[in-house]
Amino acid sequence: MGNQANLSIGSVAKRTGVTASALHFYEAKGLISSERDASNQRRYHPTVIRRVSIIKAAQKLGLSLENIKNAFASLPSNRTPDQKDWQKLSMAWQEELDRRIASLQRLSVLMNSCIGCGCLSMDKCPLYNQDDHLSQYGPGPVLLQQKEDQP
Ligand code: FES
């Protein structure tokens, strides 16, 4: 196989379990790249398979394509992640996953106060913030953040 960009899009799709249209999409988003052969067909470097595998794993964790792209960009010379890089990325993503689980658990507790309430108060309900009027107090879910900041 060598170290050349010689994989067709069909071959990459078959080996990764990702559709050709998804590969086009990843490429348009800058997550993978290809070269063109003499007949202007896409040809992929074999390392694209590892890259797509990491994209799929990260998506299963619920990470956005932007987040994945930033992670790839953080690697030295924007190369395909090796095993050591994967350890680093997966540890960072584990922390992100833990943060999100904790946030969902807090949300679940807050949701209990909404069940049977129905006030949908813009000032009091942590789940409702019509027109994002709380944005003046900072980015993100301000009421939830306030709860997180409390000991
Ligand atoms: S609906 Fe009343 S606190 Fe959320």
Side-chain angles (χ1 to χ4, degrees), residues 33 42 51 58 61 70 79 82 89 92 94 97-98 100 149:
S33 61
R42 282 185 169 85
R51 217 171 164 97
L61 295 174
N70 290 339
R79 60 173 163 69
D82 60 18
L89 291 178
Q94 174 72 56
L97 196 59
D98 288 346
R100 287 168 44 205
D149 292 343

Side-chain angles (χ1 to χ4, degrees), residues 20-32 59 65:
S21 60
L23 292 171
H24 287 163
F25 183 69
Y26 293 159
E27 193 167 342
K29 293 291 181 184
L31 293 166
I32 62 173
Q59 284 185 303
L65 293 180

Side-chain angles (χ1 to χ4, degrees), residues 92-122:
W93 289 343
Q94 174 72 56
E95 289 171 13
E96 169 68 16
L97 196 59
D98 288 346
R99 259 195 307 276
R100 287 168 44 205
I101 288 169
S103 179
L104 283 172
Q105 287 172 334
R106 280 190 295 275
L107 195 57
S108 177
V109 169
L110 293 172
M111 182 72 190
N112 283 336
S113 64
C114 290
I115 294 172
C117 174
C119 72
L120 291 176
S121 164
M122 283 187 285

Side-chain angles (χ1 to χ4, degrees), residues 16-19 21-27 29-32 48-69 71-72 86 89-90 93-94 96-97 100:
T16 59
V18 169
T19 63
S21 60
L23 292 171
H24 287 163
F25 183 69
Y26 293 159
E27 193 167 342
K29 293 291 181 184
L31 293 166
I32 62 173
V48 78
I49 292 169
R50 182 173 186 83
R51 217 171 164 97
V52 171
S53 299
I54 290 174
I55 293 168
K56 285 178 67 180
Q59 284 185 303
K60 276 202 171 162
L61 295 174
L63 297 172
S64 69
L65 293 180
E66 196 59 36
N67 197 320
I68 300 166
K69 185 178 177 182
F72 282 164
W86 170 243
L89 291 178
S90 58
W93 289 343
Q94 174 72 56
E96 169 68 16
L97 196 59
R100 287 168 44 205

